[in-house]
Amino acid sequence: MAGTLVIIGGHEDREGEKAILREVAGRAGGKRVVVVTTASEEPDDLMEVYTKAFGDLGVKDVVQVHQNNREDGLSEEAAEPLKRAGAVFFTGGDQLRLTSQLGDTPVFQAIQKVYQDGGVVAGTSAGASALSDTMLVSGESGSSPRAGDANRMAPGFGLVEGLVIDQHFAERGRTGRLLAAIAQNPKSLGLGIDEDTAVVVERQRFKVVGSGGVYVFDASKVTYSTVADAAEEEPLSIHDAVVHVLAPGDTFDLKQRRPVRSSAKKE
């Protein structure tokens, strides 16, 4: 049975209560936590931060996996540290670097096995965007939805399907680019996650944890959009899109594309 995904909006607390990292550490079940720093240009500095943070939470075995190039991940030896892992944590950086270096390598296959065997896979910032089947790789922050934003996507790792994930969401004003992305194919939900906020995904539902908000954009009932016809820098028309705003503690049903009301949660 597939395990748990912890999808983080970036800048999670690493020094205080560490609520989000505590979720990851707790779900590792006392096993190794592997920190994948491939997306980052400062991997050793990040590793030092996460080794201390997870150590403070009682994790005794924290190891790093990093590839400077794709060839580094092609050997079975490179995947060896993942074979005893209970959790895998993707740091921030560049999501396209992450997928292009690791996609379909023995390292990524070992990560998939951790997840399929019931372990936890977490990602923050760029590491969050890469977890879905389609990922945003660029786009203007703080602007209206524009046609060009819909073209700045690439295949992700596909550990969760039917989502396009964006991070640092309220802090960087990314509503426009996420709306443009889901207008291109309304089959996918848009998931915008604030900093120090995460969704914990299990069995087609997710729970919000952390200190900020999560925004779910649903274009499945859109009646009209100009995404196919507008020039790249032209603002888009998108009619009848739906947005759900979720706070910590809220739950969302991905299959039903609906929040779970508090009364239903109690039942």
Side-chain angles (χ1 to χ4, degrees), residues 135-150:
M135 64 180 188
L136 273 164
V137 295
S138 65
E140 291 295 324
S141 296
S143 70
S144 302
R146 297 182 186 274
D149 291 331

Side-chain angles (χ1 to χ4, degrees), residues 35-224:
V35 179
V36 181
T37 56
T38 301
S40 176
E41 293 182 350
E42 300 176 337
D44 294 336
D45 290 344
L46 270 183
M47 187 61 196
E48 184 177 343
V49 170
Y50 284 112
T51 298
K52 183 179 187 307
F54 282 119
D56 290 345
L57 293 169
V59 180
K60 296 179 180 178
D61 189 5
V62 184
V63 302
Q64 180 181 19
V65 166
H66 182 80
Q67 282 72 41
N68 290 309
N69 53 64
R70 183 169 173 82
E71 186 177 10
D72 290 346
L74 292 176
S75 70
E76 293 296 334
E77 183 180 356
E80 193 66 30
L82 290 148
K83 294 183 178 177
R84 297 197 301 277
V88 178
F89 187 95
F90 290 106
T91 70
D94 182 338
Q95 55 263 47
L96 194 56
R97 174 178 170 79
L98 187 59
T99 56
S100 64
Q101 301 294 356
L102 291 184
D104 204 33
T105 63
V107 169
F108 180 66
Q109 290 163 10
I111 292 168
Q112 284 182 305
K113 189 172 191 314
V114 171
Y115 180 58
Q116 291 163 359
D117 288 348
V120 57
V121 176
T124 186
S125 190
S129 291
L131 296 179
S132 60
D133 52 348
T134 303
M135 64 180 188
L136 273 164
V137 295
S138 65
E140 291 295 324
S141 296
S143 70
S144 302
R146 297 182 186 274
D149 291 331
N151 298 322
R152 295 165 184 167
M153 295 190 287
F157 284 142
L159 295 178
V160 60
E161 296 182 348
L163 291 179
V164 178
I165 299 162
D166 212 349
Q167 7 76 19
H168 306 283
F169 196 71
E171 292 80 5
R172 300 186 185 177
R174 288 179 164 175
T175 297
R177 74 179 201 173
L178 188 55
L179 277 169
I182 63 165
Q184 188 182 45
N185 188 347
K187 176 182 75 69
S188 295
L189 289 169
L191 188 63
I193 309 174
D194 286 348
E195 293 176 359
D196 192 40
T197 309
V199 299
V200 180
V201 184
E202 295 179 296
R203 296 184 295 278
Q204 292 297 306
R205 285 191 174 192
F206 70 72
K207 175 184 72 174
V208 180
V209 299
S211 63
V214 170
Y215 314 84
V216 183
F217 295 87
D218 187 352
S220 62
K221 300 295 193 294
V222 161
T223 56
Y224 173 78

